[in-house]
Structure formats: C-alpha cells, structure tokens
Amino acid sequence: LNGQRGGVKGEIIQESWQKKIAIGGSLLTSTILLASLPFLSQLAKYSVLGLLLIAFLYSVPPIRLKAVPILDSVTNGIGAFLFFALGTGLAGGNFSDIIPAGYWGSMIFMAIDAMGSCPDIEADKENGIRTSATLLGWRGTSIWFTASIIVSLIFQKWDLIPKIGHMIGIIFGTTMYFKRTEEWFYAFV
C-alpha cells in the first residue's frame, strides 16, 4: 500500500492477481477497440491502434514504461497526442488538423504527469516505485515541468487565454523549484 495515497487509489495489487487483471483488461479493451475499427476514419483507426500499443507498452510487463523514469512522462505525452488525434478523427478531421494543438497538448500533459508525481516521491521510493519524480526529485521535476511548458509555447498558436495558462504553469514550476514541499504543491493546485 502506498502510504502517501491510502485507500483503494494507492493500493498495490497482490502479485497473484496482477497477471489475471492485466490479461483480462487487455483482452476486453483490445476487443472493443478493434471491433470499432471498421466504423472509424483513417485517422481515428491509426489513433486507436497507437493507443492500444502505447497502453500495452506503458502497463504490461516486461516493458512497462510507467516504471521507467522519464519514459513514463513521455509515454503519457504520446498518449495525450493520440487521444487528441482520435478526437480529431472522430470529428471528421485529418492529419493536418492535429498540428500544432496535438503537440501543444502533449507537452502540457507530459509536464503535468511528471509534476503530479512529486507529492508521492517519498512513498514511491519506499515502495520501490520508479517515476520521473523519484529520479529527478522536486527540483529536477520542477525544471522538467517548466521546460515542457515553455516548449509547448512553441506549438501554441491560439489566443491570450491559453498563454496566460502557460504563464501560470511557469510560475507554478518555478515556485515548486524553490519551495518543493507537498503543502505548497496542494496550495497552488
């Protein structure tokens, strides 16, 4: 049990059930998604197949990218991009409609994934859980977060409101670099 989270959310599943749950969930999800392919646009089809691949690479042993620091956050960014592409495909859009918003969203999601792990650093270390945050620590993750937000500005071509959100993100990342406490993290969010 991850003491930081407590309850069901932080529960570590017994080893005897892990394989059964992984196989059952994978088969059910794959069946539903693959059955939907004939009804989807080309972009949506590629997105579904990409999401299935990312889901397996992220969660299923032996690769399990969520246990590989840095790649855990990058994989989440790729997943966000694919979800954006899927939505674009379902709405009748094509590949050119994904850019730059898909890149922008991917960078933001990657940043949030890494920073969101910071409050769990100590509990994750105690339980042998490896994440970007356990590798980089508060300060390193704050730098990763802020750099990702800044890079996402390159792809952001929209109005002032998203840019204000970016600036708030940069202030948040900078604050976490200097304060790096769980109290400040929750006070800010």
Side-chain angles (χ1 to χ4, degrees), residues 2 4 117-129 133-134 138 182:
N2 183 330
Q4 189 73 11
S117 299
C118 279
D120 295 332
I121 288 174
E122 295 307 317
D124 285 348
K125 282 182 179 179
E126 288 173 16
N127 288 291
I129 299 169
T134 60
W138 273 98
E182 188 176 334

Side-chain angles (χ1 to χ4, degrees), residues 37 40-49 85-86 88-90 93 95:
L37 287 180
L40 300 176
S41 69
Q42 188 176 12
L43 175 58
K45 286 177 187 178
Y46 288 132
S47 300
V48 165
L49 294 173
L86 176 59
T88 303
L90 291 174
F95 290 100

Side-chain angles (χ1 to χ4, degrees), residues 42 52 81 110 114 147 180 182 185 188:
Q42 188 176 12
L52 281 171
F81 180 84
M110 188 171 70
R180 65 193 164 120
E182 188 176 334
F185 178 86
F188 209 97

Side-chain angles (χ1 to χ4, degrees), residues 23-133:
I23 291 171
S26 297
L27 288 174
L28 181 62
T29 303
S30 299
T31 302
I32 292 169
L33 290 175
L34 292 173
S36 71
L37 287 180
F39 308 103
L40 300 176
S41 69
Q42 188 176 12
L43 175 58
K45 286 177 187 178
Y46 288 132
S47 300
V48 165
L49 294 173
L51 284 166
L52 281 171
L53 178 64
I54 286 293
F56 285 117
L57 293 175
Y58 185 74
S59 298
V60 179
I63 298 172
R64 209 155 184 259
L65 292 175
K66 75 178 183 180
V68 180
I70 306 301
L71 289 180
D72 60 340
S73 295
V74 171
T75 306
N76 274 290
I78 293 169
F81 180 84
L82 290 169
F83 270 113
F84 185 84
L86 176 59
T88 303
L90 291 174
N94 58 39
F95 290 100
S96 64
D97 296 325
I98 304 170
I99 304 165
Y103 294 142
W104 174 79
S106 298
M107 295 302 295
I108 299 278
F109 201 82
M110 188 171 70
I112 291 170
D113 175 72
M115 200 69 209
S117 299
C118 279
D120 295 332
I121 288 174
E122 295 307 317
D124 285 348
K125 282 182 179 179
E126 288 173 16
N127 288 291
I129 299 169
R130 298 174 58 219
T131 65
S132 296

